[in-house]
Coordinates of all heavy atoms in Angstrom, one line a residue:
M1 N 96.6 111.9 133.3 CA 97.5 110.9 132.5 C 97.4 111.2 131.0 O 96.3 111.2 130.5 CB 97.0 109.5 132.8 CG 97.6 108.8 133.9 SD 99.1 108.1 133.9 CE 98.8 106.8 135.2
A2 N 98.5 111.3 130.4 CA 98.6 111.4 129.0 C 98.8 110.1 128.3 O 99.2 109.1 129.0 CB 99.7 112.4 128.5
K3 N 98.4 110.0 127.1 CA 98.6 108.7 126.3 C 99.7 108.9 125.3 O 99.8 110.0 124.7 CB 97.3 108.4 125.6 CG 96.1 108.3 126.5 CD 96.0 107.1 127.3 CE 94.7 107.0 128.1 NZ 94.3 105.7 128.4
S4 N 100.4 107.9 125.1 CA 101.5 108.0 124.1 C 101.5 106.8 123.2 O 101.1 105.7 123.5 CB 102.8 108.3 124.7 OG 103.6 107.1 124.8
F5 N 102.0 107.1 121.9 CA 102.0 106.0 120.9 C 103.3 106.2 120.1 O 103.6 107.3 119.7 CB 100.8 106.1 120.0 CG 100.9 105.2 118.9 CD1 100.6 103.8 119.0 CD2 101.2 105.7 117.6 CE1 100.7 103.0 117.9 CE2 101.3 104.8 116.5 CZ 101.1 103.5 116.6
K6 N 103.9 105.1 119.8 CA 105.1 105.1 118.9 C 104.8 104.3 117.7 O 104.3 103.1 117.8 CB 106.3 104.5 119.6 CG 107.1 105.5 120.4 CD 108.5 104.8 120.8 CE 108.3 103.6 121.6 NZ 109.3 103.2 122.5
C7 N 105.1 104.8 116.5 CA 104.8 104.1 115.3 C 105.6 102.8 115.2 O 105.2 101.8 114.7 CB 105.2 105.1 114.1 SG 104.2 104.8 112.7
S8 N 106.8 102.9 115.8 CA 107.7 101.7 115.7 C 107.1 100.5 116.5 O 107.5 99.3 116.2 CB 109.1 102.0 116.2 OG 109.0 102.5 117.6
D9 N 106.2 100.8 117.4 CA 105.5 99.7 118.1 C 104.7 98.8 117.2 O 104.3 97.7 117.6 CB 104.6 100.2 119.2 CG 105.4 100.8 120.4 OD1 106.6 100.4 120.5 OD2 104.8 101.5 121.2
L10 N 104.4 99.3 116.0 CA 103.6 98.5 115.1 C 104.6 97.7 114.2 O 104.1 97.0 113.2 CB 102.7 99.4 114.2 CG 101.6 100.1 114.9 CD1 100.8 100.9 114.0 CD2 100.7 99.1 115.6
G11 N 105.9 97.8 114.5 CA 106.8 97.0 113.6 C 107.2 97.8 112.4 O 107.8 97.2 111.5
I12 N 106.9 99.1 112.3 CA 107.2 99.9 111.2 C 108.5 100.6 111.5 O 108.7 101.1 112.6 CB 106.0 101.0 110.9 CG1 104.7 100.2 110.6 CG2 106.4 101.9 109.8 CD1 103.5 101.2 110.7
S13 N 109.3 100.7 110.5 CA 110.6 101.5 110.6 C 110.3 103.0 110.5 O 110.4 103.5 109.4 CB 111.6 101.0 109.5 OG 112.7 101.8 109.7
C14 N 109.9 103.6 111.6 CA 109.5 105.0 111.6 C 109.8 105.5 113.0 O 109.5 104.9 114.0 CB 108.0 105.0 111.3 SG 107.3 106.7 111.4
G15 N 110.3 106.7 113.1 CA 110.7 107.3 114.3 C 109.6 108.2 115.0 O 109.8 108.8 116.0
W16 N 108.4 108.2 114.4 CA 107.4 109.1 114.8 C 106.7 108.6 116.1 O 106.5 107.4 116.3 CB 106.3 109.2 113.7 CG 105.2 110.1 114.0 CD1 105.2 111.5 113.8 CD2 103.9 109.8 114.5 NE1 104.0 112.0 114.1 CE2 103.2 111.1 114.5 CE3 103.2 108.6 114.8 CZ2 101.9 111.1 115.0 CZ3 101.9 108.7 115.3 CH2 101.3 110.0 115.4
S17 N 106.5 109.5 117.0 CA 105.7 109.2 118.2 C 104.9 110.4 118.5 O 105.1 111.5 118.1 CB 106.6 108.8 119.3 OG 107.4 110.0 119.7
T18 N 103.8 110.2 119.3 CA 102.9 111.3 119.7 C 102.3 111.1 121.1 O 102.3 109.9 121.6 CB 101.8 111.4 118.6 OG1 101.1 112.6 118.9 CG2 100.9 110.3 118.6
T19 N 101.9 112.1 121.6 CA 101.1 112.0 122.9 C 99.9 112.9 122.8 O 99.8 113.8 122.0 CB 102.0 112.5 124.1 OG1 102.4 113.9 123.8 CG2 103.2 111.7 124.4
A20 N 98.9 112.5 123.6 CA 97.6 113.3 123.7 C 97.0 113.0 125.0 O 97.5 112.2 125.8 CB 96.7 112.8 122.6
N21 N 96.0 113.8 125.3 CA 95.3 113.7 126.6 C 94.4 112.5 126.8 O 94.1 112.1 127.9 CB 94.6 115.0 126.9 CG 95.5 116.1 127.2 OD1 96.6 115.9 127.8 ND2 95.1 117.3 126.7
N22 N 93.9 112.0 125.6 CA 93.0 110.8 125.7 C 93.1 110.0 124.4 O 93.7 110.5 123.4 CB 91.6 111.3 126.0 CG 91.1 112.3 124.9 OD1 91.1 112.0 123.7 ND2 90.8 113.5 125.4
D23 N 92.5 108.8 124.4 CA 92.6 107.9 123.2 C 92.1 108.6 122.0 O 92.6 108.4 120.9 CB 91.8 106.6 123.5 CG 92.6 105.7 124.4 OD1 93.7 106.1 124.9 OD2 92.1 104.6 124.7
T24 N 91.0 109.3 122.1 CA 90.3 109.9 120.9 C 91.2 110.8 120.2 O 91.4 110.8 119.0 CB 89.0 110.6 121.4 OG1 88.3 109.7 122.2 CG2 88.2 111.0 120.2
E25 N 91.9 111.7 121.0 CA 92.8 112.7 120.4 C 94.0 112.0 119.8 O 94.5 112.3 118.8 CB 93.3 113.7 121.5 CG 92.3 114.7 121.9 CD 91.9 115.6 120.8 OE1 92.9 116.2 120.1 OE2 90.7 115.8 120.5
L26 N 94.5 111.0 120.5 CA 95.6 110.2 120.1 C 95.3 109.5 118.8 O 96.1 109.6 117.8 CB 96.0 109.2 121.2 CG 97.4 108.6 121.0 CD1 98.5 109.6 121.2 CD2 97.6 107.5 122.0
L27 N 94.2 108.9 118.7 CA 93.8 108.2 117.4 C 93.7 109.1 116.3 O 94.0 108.8 115.1 CB 92.5 107.4 117.6 CG 92.7 106.1 118.5 CD1 91.4 105.5 118.9 CD2 93.5 105.0 117.7
K28 N 93.2 110.3 116.5 CA 93.1 111.4 115.5 C 94.5 111.7 114.9 O 94.7 111.8 113.7 CB 92.5 112.6 116.1 CG 91.1 112.9 115.5 CD 90.6 114.3 116.0 CE 89.4 114.2 116.9 NZ 89.0 115.5 117.5
K29 N 95.5 111.9 115.9 CA 96.8 112.2 115.4 C 97.4 111.0 114.7 O 98.1 111.2 113.7 CB 97.7 112.5 116.7 CG 97.3 113.8 117.3 CD 98.2 114.1 118.5 CE 98.0 115.5 119.1 NZ 99.0 115.8 120.1
I30 N 97.1 109.8 115.1 CA 97.7 108.6 114.5 C 97.1 108.5 113.1 O 97.8 108.2 112.1 CB 97.4 107.4 115.3 CG1 98.2 107.4 116.6 CG2 97.8 106.1 114.5 CD1 97.7 106.4 117.7
A31 N 95.8 108.8 112.9 CA 95.1 108.7 111.6 C 95.8 109.7 110.7 O 96.0 109.4 109.5 CB 93.6 109.0 111.8
Q32 N 96.1 110.9 111.2 CA 96.7 111.9 110.3 C 98.1 111.4 109.9 O 98.5 111.6 108.7 CB 96.9 113.2 111.0 CG 95.6 114.0 111.0 CD 95.6 115.3 112.0 OE1 96.7 115.5 112.6 NE2 94.5 116.0 112.0
H33 N 98.8 110.8 110.8 CA 100.2 110.4 110.5 C 100.1 109.2 109.6 O 101.0 109.0 108.7 CB 100.9 110.0 111.8 CG 102.2 109.3 111.6 ND1 103.3 110.0 111.1 CD2 102.7 108.0 111.6 CE1 104.3 109.2 110.9 NE2 104.0 108.0 111.3
A34 N 99.1 108.4 109.7 CA 99.0 107.2 108.8 C 99.0 107.5 107.3 O 99.4 106.7 106.5 CB 97.7 106.4 109.2
E35 N 98.5 108.8 107.0 CA 98.6 109.2 105.7 C 100.0 109.2 105.1 O 100.2 109.0 103.9 CB 98.0 110.7 105.6 CG 96.5 110.7 105.8 CD 95.9 112.1 105.7 OE1 96.6 113.0 105.1 OE2 94.8 112.3 106.2
Q36 N 100.9 109.5 105.9 CA 102.3 109.5 105.5 C 102.8 108.1 105.1 O 103.8 107.9 104.5 CB 103.2 110.1 106.6 CG 103.0 111.6 106.8 CD 103.9 112.2 107.8 OE1 105.0 111.7 108.0 NE2 103.4 113.1 108.6
H37 N 102.1 107.1 105.6 CA 102.4 105.7 105.3 C 101.5 105.2 104.1 O 101.4 104.0 103.9 CB 102.3 104.8 106.5 CG 103.3 105.0 107.5 ND1 104.7 104.8 107.3 CD2 103.2 105.5 108.8 CE1 105.3 105.1 108.4 NE2 104.5 105.6 109.3
G38 N 100.7 106.1 103.6 CA 99.9 105.8 102.4 C 98.5 105.3 102.7 O 97.8 104.9 101.9
F39 N 98.1 105.5 104.0 CA 96.7 105.1 104.4 C 95.8 106.4 104.5 O 96.2 107.3 105.1 CB 96.7 104.4 105.7 CG 97.5 103.1 105.7 CD1 98.7 103.0 106.3 CD2 97.0 102.0 105.2 CE1 99.5 101.8 106.3 CE2 97.7 100.8 105.1 CZ 98.9 100.7 105.7
T40 N 94.7 106.3 103.9 CA 93.7 107.4 104.0 C 93.0 107.3 105.4 O 92.5 108.2 105.9 CB 92.7 107.4 102.9 OG1 92.2 106.1 102.7 CG2 93.4 107.8 101.6
E41 N 92.9 106.0 105.9 CA 92.4 105.8 107.2 C 93.1 104.6 107.8 O 93.7 103.8 107.1 CB 90.9 105.7 107.2 CG 90.4 104.5 106.4 CD 88.9 104.5 106.3 OE1 88.3 105.6 106.2 OE2 88.3 103.4 106.3
I42 N 93.0 104.5 109.1 CA 93.6 103.4 109.8 C 93.0 102.1 109.4 O 91.8 101.9 109.6 CB 93.6 103.6 111.3 CG1 94.4 104.8 111.7 CG2 94.2 102.4 112.0 CD1 94.3 105.3 113.1
P43 N 93.7 101.1 108.9 CA 93.1 99.8 108.6 C 92.5 99.2 109.8 O 93.1 99.3 110.9 CB 94.3 99.0 108.0 CG 95.3 100.0 107.7 CD 95.1 101.1 108.6
F44 N 91.4 98.5 109.6 CA 90.7 97.9 110.7 C 91.5 97.0 111.6 O 91.5 97.1 112.8 CB 89.4 97.1 110.2 CG 88.6 96.5 111.3 CD1 87.8 97.3 112.1 CD2 88.7 95.2 111.6 CE1 87.1 96.8 113.2 CE2 88.0 94.6 112.6 CZ 87.1 95.4 113.4
E45 N 92.3 96.2 110.9 CA 93.2 95.2 111.7 C 94.3 95.9 112.5 O 94.9 95.3 113.4 CB 93.7 94.1 110.8 CG 94.7 94.6 109.7 CD 94.0 95.0 108.4 OE1 92.8 95.3 108.5 OE2 94.6 94.9 107.4
W46 N 94.6 97.2 112.1 CA 95.6 97.9 112.9 C 95.1 98.5 114.2 O 95.8 98.8 115.1 CB 96.1 99.1 112.0 CG 97.2 98.7 111.0 CD1 97.3 97.5 110.4 CD2 98.2 99.5 110.6 NE1 98.4 97.5 109.6 CE2 99.0 98.7 109.6 CE3 98.6 100.8 110.8 CZ2 100.1 99.2 109.0 CZ3 99.7 101.3 110.2 CH2 100.4 100.5 109.3
E47 N 93.8 98.7 114.2 CA 93.2 99.4 115.3 C 93.5 98.8 116.6 O 93.8 99.4 117.6 CB 91.7 99.6 115.1 CG 91.3 101.0 115.3 CD 89.8 101.2 115.0 OE1 89.5 101.6 113.8 OE2 89.0 101.1 115.9
A48 N 93.3 97.4 116.7 CA 93.5 96.7 117.9 C 95.0 96.8 118.3 O 95.4 96.9 119.4 CB 93.1 95.2 117.7
K49 N 95.9 96.7 117.2 CA 97.3 96.7 117.5 C 97.7 98.1 118.1 O 98.5 98.2 119.0 CB 98.1 96.5 116.2 CG 98.2 95.1 115.7 CD 99.2 95.1 114.5 CE 99.1 93.8 113.8 NZ 100.0 93.8 112.6
I50 N 97.1 99.1 117.5 CA 97.4 100.5 117.9 C 96.9 100.7 119.4 O 97.7 101.1 120.2 CB 96.7 101.5 117.0 CG1 97.4 101.6 115.6 CG2 96.7 102.9 117.6 CD1 96.7 102.3 114.5
K51 N 95.7 100.2 119.6 CA 95.2 100.4 121.0 C 96.0 99.6 122.0 O 96.2 100.1 123.1 CB 93.7 99.9 121.0 CG 92.8 101.0 120.4 CD 91.4 100.6 120.4 CE 90.6 101.8 119.8 NZ 89.2 101.3 119.4
A52 N 96.5 98.4 121.6 CA 97.4 97.6 122.5 C 98.8 98.3 122.7 O 99.4 98.1 123.7 CB 97.6 96.2 121.9
S53 N 99.1 99.2 121.8 CA 100.4 99.8 121.8 C 100.4 101.2 122.6 O 101.4 101.8 122.9 CB 101.0 100.1 120.4 OG 101.1 98.9 119.7
I54 N 99.2 101.7 122.9 CA 99.1 102.9 123.5 C 99.5 102.8 125.0 O 99.1 101.8 125.7 CB 97.6 103.4 123.5 CG1 97.3 103.8 122.0 CG2 97.4 104.7 124.4 CD1 95.8 104.2 121.8
K55 N 100.4 103.7 125.4 CA 100.9 103.7 126.8 C 100.5 104.9 127.5 O 100.3 106.0 126.9 CB 102.4 103.6 126.8 CG 102.9 102.3 126.2 CD 104.4 102.2 126.3 CE 104.9 100.9 125.7 NZ 104.6 100.7 124.3
E56 N 100.3 104.8 128.8 CA 100.0 105.9 129.6 C 101.4 106.5 130.1 O 102.3 105.8 130.5 CB 99.1 105.6 130.8 CG 97.8 105.2 130.4 CD 96.8 105.1 131.6 OE1 97.2 105.1 132.7 OE2 95.6 105.1 131.3
V57 N 101.5 107.8 130.0 CA 102.7 108.5 130.4 C 102.5 109.6 131.4 O 101.3 110.0 131.6 CB 103.5 109.1 129.2 CG1 104.1 107.9 128.3 CG2 102.6 110.0 128.4
Ligands
LIG1 ZN1 105.0 106.3 111.1

């Protein structure tokens, strides 16, 4: 089972989405993408939101 995440699930106007084999890989990709939104790392309060938005595909 792969994991997938869409940036728009956080209520951000962004078309970016990604998939990975597990949560760890997915969170790494999300952290890299977060830089494009001006974050050097994922804000703590986002982490729960992100985890809640991760879907199995
Ligand atoms: Zn985004």
Side-chain angles (χ1 to χ4, degrees):
M1 269 281 209
K3 307 281 184 159
S4 100
F5 171 80
K6 270 193 302 204
C7 212
S8 58
D9 285 345
L10 295 179
I12 298 168
S13 177
C14 175
W16 185 80
S17 67
T18 189
T19 55
N21 291 323
N22 56 58
D23 283 4
T24 310
E25 285 297 309
L26 194 66
L27 285 167
K28 249 188 243 175
K29 291 182 176 187
I30 294 167
Q32 281 171 0
H33 175 70
E35 288 179 22
Q36 292 181 34
H37 291 294
F39 297 104
T40 49
E41 58 186 37
I42 296 170
F44 181 75
E45 66 269 25
W46 277 31
E47 227 176 271
K49 283 190 194 177
I50 289 167
K51 283 178 179 164
S53 302
I54 292 173
K55 291 182 180 66
E56 292 194 345
V57 288

